[in-house]
């Protein structure tokens, strides 16, 4: 292996810290959500993304893209959520092939239970561990990375809400 193309020690350390921390937080969140609500993190993310869209509905293909999952993986999760009465699937108006996932009232009520668990884990294991400056730097780095990966132009505005990013 040509060492000229290897990550620096600092880059390698950053990468390993990033993946370990993200996996640990996701695992902790998944465990807490399952214990306290019966739903996993992936299902919570789907409900949250639907809740943040106009009409609380989204095309399945767009939802899969936003949740960074395969269409078959999303279909499985939506099926589980549909069985629980939290999501409903229907055809896209004017598009026979398109399928919409729609958050139900029961799904909205479930989000009211899921939200505090999510916020508690995020604060306990991520934001509560960072100074304001560290949180701003992390937000700027993650927003810039997401924009790059999504092919979006960089923005130099305050990064906390990732202006211009799709949610």
């Amino acid at each position: 292996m040509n060492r000229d193309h290897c990550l620096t020690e600092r880059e390698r350390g950053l990468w390993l810290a990033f993946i370990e921390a993200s996996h640990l937080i996701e695992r902790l969140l998944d465990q807490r959500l399952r214990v306290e609500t019966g739903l996993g993190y992936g299902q919570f993310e789907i409900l949250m993304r639907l809740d943040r869209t106009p009409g609380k509905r989204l095309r399945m293909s767009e939802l899969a893209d936003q949740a960074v999952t395969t269409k078959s993986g999303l279909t499985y999760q939506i099926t589980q959520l549909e069985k629980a009465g939290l999501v409903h699937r229907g055809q896209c108006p004017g598009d026979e092939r398109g399928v919409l996932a729609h958050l139900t009232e029961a799904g909205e009520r479930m989000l009211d239970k899921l939200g505090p668990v999510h916020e508690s884990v995020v604060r306990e294991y991520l934001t509560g561990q960072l100074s304001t400056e560290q949180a701003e730097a992390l937000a700027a780095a993650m927003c810039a990375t997401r924009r790059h990966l999504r092919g979006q132009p960089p923005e130099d505005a305050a990064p906390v809400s990732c202006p211009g990013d799709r949610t």
Side-chain angles (χ1 to χ4, degrees):
M1 175 178 225
N2 183 346
R3 290 271 183 203
D4 293 339
H5 297 288
C6 291
L7 295 175
T8 66
E9 192 61 36
R10 183 177 190 154
E11 289 170 323
R12 188 174 16 267
L14 171 63
W15 171 248
L16 292 173
F18 167 76
I19 60 171
E20 185 175 355
S22 64
H23 289 316
L24 286 168
I25 291 170
E26 189 172 329
R27 182 180 304 152
L28 288 164
L29 180 56
D30 186 70
Q31 290 170 347
R32 289 267 299 272
L33 288 169
R34 285 183 190 283
V35 166
E36 296 185 34
T37 69
L39 295 182
Y41 174 72
Q43 294 168 327
F44 164 70
E45 183 180 2
I46 290 166
L47 296 178
M48 181 179 62
R49 289 188 182 280
L50 289 172
D51 189 55
R52 296 178 68 189
T53 61
K56 301 192 183 301
R57 64 180 182 227
L58 202 55
R59 288 179 71 95
M60 291 282 286
S61 57
E62 193 172 339
L63 184 55
D65 179 59
Q66 287 185 16
V68 191
T69 188
T70 62
K71 290 178 185 175
S72 63
L74 177 67
T75 298
Y76 173 79
Q77 293 297 346
I78 290 289
T79 300
Q80 300 307 307
L81 292 168
E82 197 169 33
K83 286 178 183 177
L86 305 175
V87 170
H88 169 71
R89 274 185 280 204
Q91 288 205 321
C92 292
D95 182 358
E96 292 178 11
R97 293 179 21 191
V99 177
L100 288 175
H102 186 272
L103 185 65
T104 65
E105 287 183 22
E108 290 183 60
R109 287 191 301 274
M110 178 58 79
L111 273 172
D112 291 339
K113 295 177 186 176
L114 295 163
V117 178
H118 172 252
E119 290 172 10
S120 172
V121 170
V122 169
R123 284 191 180 115
E124 184 175 352
Y125 298 109
L126 181 62
T127 61
Q129 306 303 311
L130 303 175
S131 69
T132 301
E133 295 78 19
Q134 289 172 319
E136 288 174 3
L138 181 59
M142 292 297 97
C143 289
T145 300
R146 181 170 63 184
R147 282 187 199 102
H148 173 73
L149 293 170
R150 294 270 184 202
Q152 297 170 334
E155 300 215 4
D156 40 320
V160 176
S161 63
C162 297
D165 285 356
R166 292 184 306 168
T167 53

